[in-house]
Amino acid sequence: MYSPDKMKSGGGLMAPPGCFPGRYSPTYRSTDPRRCVPNPSGDLFTGLNDGLLSRAEALAAVDISKHQSGPQPGPPLPQLKHDMVYHPGVGGPPPHNARPHQMGHHGMEGLDMLDPLTSSSMTTLAPMGEAAPPHHQLHGYGMNHVMNHHHHAGGLGHAPPAHLGHPAAALHPDTDTDPRELEAFAERFKQRRIKLGVTQADVGKALANLKLPGVGALSQSTICRFESLTLSHNNMIALKPILQAWLEEAEAQAKNKRRDPDAPSVLPAGEKKRKRTSIAAPEKRSLEAYFAVQPRPSGEKITAIAEKLDLKKNVVRVWFCNQRQKQKRMKFAAQH
DNA sequence: ATGCATGAGCG
DNA sequence: GCTCATGCATA
């Protein structure tokens, strides 16, 4: 029911209808047998990273075994998994915090001598968690207001949360930014959403109907991530007032039993299907190993890695970007 | 629920 | 080139 372009523009994301990049490179070779063999043949990047790469992999192996069986010195082991999954299902067990889960850069100790190149940046790694983004580009659906660290949530030049029921939350950065509060809200939100019998996708779509300035539809993914707190802190803060507005509106309508009968469900016919690249486990493991040593490889390095793993350079680059993003991902539970 | 991707905005 | 918000496709 939503044409791709419609939805995106509504959400603030621009997807020029006719500008899809021709590089949808269907690199989905997950099933490709070659994938399992990180081609050890004559590498072009010879002198460059052969040694490094191998060591990185070896180190990763050590690292892995380390947190799997080995006792961790100190805090509850931060898993350097590329993903965090602590999500109970709907109606699952009482929500509760997981472990303090910051980025895991264990395994680094002792690696720094590996390669001067890689170690240089490694050594600077700090216990970052969500520290202080240098600056931010405020784009998207007018979430600019909240995104700004020092601005108050009411920003956006509209600030009509008067009727939203929780003026305090909307007006006080302290309240709005409090991870505890966000966590609690996400929890409530999910619970009540389910109560209303609405799916995450429904919510995303419905947001556009709120007609809040600058607020368009969102995807199921985003709603899901909001509920599971897997968005950045700023993103959570930006979305909260919007979802809160929707929730209140939805409950009001439900109470009055009056849902406007407008159901323009005109499913847009199929569009081009993007093929999702799937990186095979062995390759993924290698990437994780490299990432542990150098989360921000240079273009050259990325090229070398891509070649060694027989992956597209862009795929590798994006993988690193996503990995960093995940690493930075806020873990409310973790920080409390 | 999550992996890989796009694209805006910023150096 | 990166970060960040966000989405499509898929497990």
Side-chain angles (χ1 to χ4, degrees), chain A residues 33 49 51 78 91 154 175 191 225 237 259 263 330:
Chain A
N49 307 297
T175 306
Q191 189 74 51
R225 284 165 177 153
I237 292 170
R259 308 252 183 86
M330 83 176 297

Coordinates of all heavy atoms in Angstrom, one line a residue, chain A residues 33 49 51 78 91 154 175 191 225 237 259 263 330:
Chain A
P33 N 29.9 -22.1 -3.3 CA 30.9 -23.0 -2.6 C 32.3 -22.2 -2.4 O 33.0 -22.4 -1.5 CB 31.1 -24.2 -3.5 CG 30.2 -23.9 -4.7 CD 29.4 -22.7 -4.4
N49 N 49.0 -6.9 3.3 CA 48.4 -7.4 4.5 C 48.4 -8.9 4.8 O 47.7 -9.3 5.7 CB 46.9 -7.0 4.5 CG 46.8 -5.5 4.2 OD1 47.3 -4.7 5.1 ND2 46.3 -5.1 3.1
G51 N 50.3 -10.9 6.1 CA 50.6 -11.2 7.5 C 49.6 -10.7 8.4 O 49.1 -11.4 9.3
P78 N 31.8 -8.5 27.7 CA 31.1 -7.9 26.6 C 31.3 -8.8 25.4 O 32.4 -9.0 24.9 CB 31.8 -6.6 26.4 CG 33.1 -6.7 27.1 CD 33.0 -7.9 28.1
G91 N 5.1 -10.4 24.9 CA 4.5 -11.1 26.0 C 5.5 -12.0 26.7 O 5.1 -12.9 27.4
G154 N 11.3 20.0 22.4 CA 10.3 20.7 21.8 C 10.7 21.4 20.5 O 9.8 21.9 19.9
T175 N 14.4 14.6 31.2 CA 13.5 13.5 31.3 C 13.5 12.7 30.0 O 13.5 11.5 30.0 CB 12.1 14.0 31.5 OG1 12.1 14.9 32.7 CG2 11.1 12.9 31.7
Q191 N 3.9 -2.9 24.8 CA 2.8 -3.6 25.5 C 1.5 -3.1 25.1 O 0.5 -3.8 24.7 CB 3.0 -3.3 27.0 CG 2.0 -4.1 27.9 CD 2.5 -5.6 28.0 OE1 3.6 -5.8 28.3 NE2 1.6 -6.5 27.8
R225 N 13.1 -1.8 16.2 CA 14.3 -1.4 16.8 C 14.0 -0.4 18.0 O 14.8 -0.4 18.9 CB 15.2 -0.8 15.8 CG 15.9 -1.8 14.9 CD 16.5 -1.3 13.7 NE 17.2 -2.3 13.0 CZ 17.4 -2.3 11.7 NH1 17.0 -1.3 10.9 NH2 18.0 -3.3 11.1
I237 N 15.5 9.1 21.3 CA 15.0 10.3 21.8 C 14.1 11.1 20.8 O 13.1 11.6 21.1 CB 16.1 11.3 22.3 CG1 16.8 10.6 23.5 CG2 15.6 12.6 22.6 CD1 18.1 11.3 23.9
R259 N -12.8 4.4 14.5 CA -11.7 4.4 13.6 C -12.2 4.8 12.3 O -13.1 4.3 11.8 CB -11.2 2.9 13.5 CG -11.0 2.3 14.8 CD -9.5 2.1 15.1 NE -9.3 1.4 16.3 CZ -9.3 0.1 16.3 NH1 -9.5 -0.6 15.2 NH2 -9.0 -0.5 17.4
A263 N -9.5 3.1 4.5 CA -8.5 2.1 4.4 C -8.0 2.0 3.0 O -8.4 1.2 2.2 CB -9.1 0.8 4.8
M330 N 23.4 2.0 21.2 CA 23.2 2.2 22.7 C 22.5 1.0 23.3 O 21.6 0.4 22.7 CB 22.4 3.4 23.0 CG 21.0 3.3 22.9 SD 20.1 4.7 23.4 CE 20.6 4.8 25.0

